[in-house]
Amino acid sequence: MTCWGSPVHASDVHALLSVALLARSGPARERLREALDHAGARVVLEDDPNTLELQALRDADPGAVLIALEPSIEDALERLEPVLGSPALTLIFDEAELAARRDGWEAQRWARHLVAKLHGHQDVLPPGSEQDQQLQPEPGLPVTPAQLHADAPLEFHLREAEDAASDVPADGLYQVPAVLSEPVSLEEALAALEVDDAASSAPVDPIAAIGDHSRWSLVEDDAVVTGSPSSTHTGSAPERFDIERLSLVELEPEPGASGGCTGAVLVLAGIGGPDALRRLLAALPESLSTAVLVHMRLDGGRYGNLVKQMARVSALPVLLAEDAQPVEAGQAYILPDDIGIVVRQGTLHFIAEPTGIQIAALPALHSGVVLLSGADAAQVDAVLALAAAGAWVGGQIGEGCYDPTAASAVVAAGQQAGEPPQLAATIAERWGVDA
């Protein structure tokens, strides 16, 4: 559940408490009515969106509209768009299936979030938890000893170390030379060693300087070495290198040369995801140097309707991904359950894949992953593996994250956290195209 509309101010609280409840008759509608009663809201209209007239909704003049989302009302929401699209109206969405089976602690938690939205505050803790705020950890690393003593004077310690240096035990195998000097080159160091061994060694042929390559030669693997190292048998003289027979070969195409995407930003969502996805896409700029791939499982697989819903709020074109289609930059794609991706000649293409999107198929250095409310927790390990390979990863936080299990897991692992608009701002910063 999340709000969609203008920010809530204290002066707007009275208007927000005037709520229209749009839901089909059934358990979901009853649960939502109970939550509104608990929130102290005044229900000015309660009706089935499929039979509700546009003028009746306009005449009710609500400050907020609570909608129980399900596939059977999507066409009705399009018909009511002239009123629901008003920027002065706050929309609150909930999944009808979840609302119908929500009870106990989960129902109380949802009601507290609804109260916070309608009353314009951020307090979503249960009664008696007020003191918990004092125990919450704060972001940032603890102060290190180096930071505590950053301004401490070092002169005293330097003098003390100098006085004690002579008492420090020395390595018996190392004798400090009377005069310290560095050899100018390796050849000089080797020559110095030869001088030291001259008294106890028989005369030997002078060793050529390592840097002198005039006496180097190639030898066959089965060459016989006789005499001194300088008299190595090299066999027959090699043939002259024939450059006339050389030719250029065609290099593989550079990644992205075909105009497709070398990577993409994958958005994973589920329960509560439609609203979070709306907020994310609405905050993205109209041009990106990458593509946005959206995977959110829907009952009945009505992904075409999801495309239409997201196209209303997105500045990016929203398309339905299809098999054998190249992934183009500056597009948002809704992925059905049987569509995956593959890299061909350095760019991404959609393919038929019964198991759906494979996170490991994304090129890590050119890709990112966003986990919104309801993302599948079973995908967390694959997402973190992609992050370890260089991908950018972000997880949704805040009261709008209705099912935070997967998103919280990546945040706890050190990945970026934020509300959908904040995550969109990071995507725009990394992959935005300057006008």
Side-chain angles (χ1 to χ4, degrees):
M1 178 192 66
T2 189
C3 285
W4 182 252
S6 303
V8 178
H9 302 286
S11 60
D12 299 329
V13 172
H14 180 73
L16 285 178
L17 293 177
S18 169
V19 180
L21 173 58
L22 303 186
R24 292 200 309 153
S25 179
R29 184 159 149 183
E30 295 174 4
R31 296 287 190 277
L32 294 178
R33 187 190 313 112
E34 292 171 0
L36 288 172
D37 292 340
H38 177 74
R42 182 170 58 92
V43 180
V44 297
L45 176 66
E46 180 179 334
D47 206 342
D48 185 338
N50 290 324
T51 59
L52 177 63
E53 295 294 335
L54 180 63
Q55 188 58 42
L57 178 59
R58 183 179 288 112
D59 293 341
D61 192 24
V65 178
L66 175 56
I67 302 174
L69 284 175
E70 53 184 318
S72 60
I73 71 168
E74 291 179 353
D75 293 337
L77 295 182
E78 291 186 17
R79 180 172 52 82
L80 300 174
E81 180 68 22
V83 175
L84 298 179
S86 171
L89 189 66
T90 295
L91 299 184
I92 305 175
F93 296 90
D94 191 18
E95 302 283 348
E97 182 182 355
L98 294 177
R101 65 171 185 258
R102 190 183 296 122
D103 58 6
W105 177 88
E106 190 66 21
Q108 296 175 11
R109 177 177 176 269
W110 193 93
R112 290 196 301 271
H113 281 266
L114 181 62
V115 170
K117 291 178 182 298
L118 294 178
H119 288 267
H121 60 70
Q122 302 295 323
D123 183 11
V124 295
L125 295 176
S129 303
E130 293 79 4
Q131 298 301 321
D132 292 347
Q133 295 291 342
Q134 302 175 2
L135 303 178
Q136 297 299 319
E138 297 182 357
L141 297 174
V143 179
T144 64
Q147 292 171 324
L148 289 174
H149 302 286
D151 299 328
L154 297 178
E155 185 64 27
F156 170 78
H157 302 286
L158 294 175
R159 290 199 303 268
E160 184 179 17
E162 184 179 2
D163 295 338
S166 59
D167 299 329
V168 177
D171 190 346
L173 298 178
Y174 174 73
Q175 299 296 328
V176 180
V179 180
L180 295 176
S181 62
E182 267 189 58
V184 177
S185 65
L186 181 59
E187 290 84 354
E188 291 184 1
L190 294 175
L193 292 176
E194 291 180 2
V195 172
D196 294 337
D197 295 339
S200 59
S201 303
V204 296
D205 294 337
I207 300 176
I210 291 179
D212 181 10
H213 57 271
S214 61
R215 300 168 62 185
W216 291 5
S217 63
L218 296 176
V219 298
E220 299 293 338
D221 292 340
D222 55 351
V224 178
V225 180
T226 60
S228 64
S230 60
S231 61
T232 303
H233 174 69
T234 60
S236 59
E239 296 182 2
R240 184 175 62 86
F241 190 69
D242 187 3
I243 64 174
E244 296 180 357
R245 291 183 294 176
L246 297 179
S247 62
L248 296 176
V249 297
E250 184 178 357
L251 297 177
E252 293 185 1
E254 292 290 336
S258 62
C261 275
T262 58
V265 176
L266 175 62
V267 180
L268 303 174
I271 298 174
D275 295 321
L277 181 58
R278 285 185 180 92
R279 299 172 65 193
L280 180 78
L281 292 180
L284 289 175
E286 61 182 355
S287 59
L288 292 175
S289 61
T290 190
V292 178
L293 312 181
V294 178
H295 183 245
M296 181 172 63
R297 293 191 180 276
L298 296 177
D299 294 336
R302 301 184 63 178
Y303 292 100
N305 290 334
L306 183 61
V307 170
K308 291 190 293 184
Q309 290 180 15
M310 296 306 152
R312 296 194 195 104
V313 299
S314 174
L316 297 171
V318 182
L319 307 172
L320 186 65
E322 299 178 357
D323 180 26
Q325 179 184 20
V327 181
E328 301 290 346
Q331 310 274 3
Y333 297 92
I334 305 297
L335 303 181
D337 294 337
D338 58 353
I339 291 293
I341 56 172
V342 67
V343 178
R344 292 175 179 165
Q345 294 184 342
T347 60
L348 292 178
H349 290 73
F350 294 118
I351 59 171
E353 177 57 61
T355 59
I357 184 71
Q358 298 296 319
I359 295 173
L362 287 170
L365 296 180
H366 305 287
S367 300
V369 183
V370 176
L371 284 81
L372 298 179
S373 175
D376 188 355
Q379 297 174 312
V380 169
D381 289 342
V383 172
L384 293 179
L386 198 71
W392 171 82
V393 172
Q396 180 187 356
I397 60 172
E399 59 175 298
C401 191
Y402 200 62
D403 179 10
T405 303
S408 298
V410 298
V411 171
Q415 306 305 314
Q416 182 165 345
E419 292 273 5
Q422 295 172 325
L423 298 174
T426 302
I427 294 172
E429 182 179 352
R430 292 175 64 95
W431 288 284
V433 177
D434 294 334

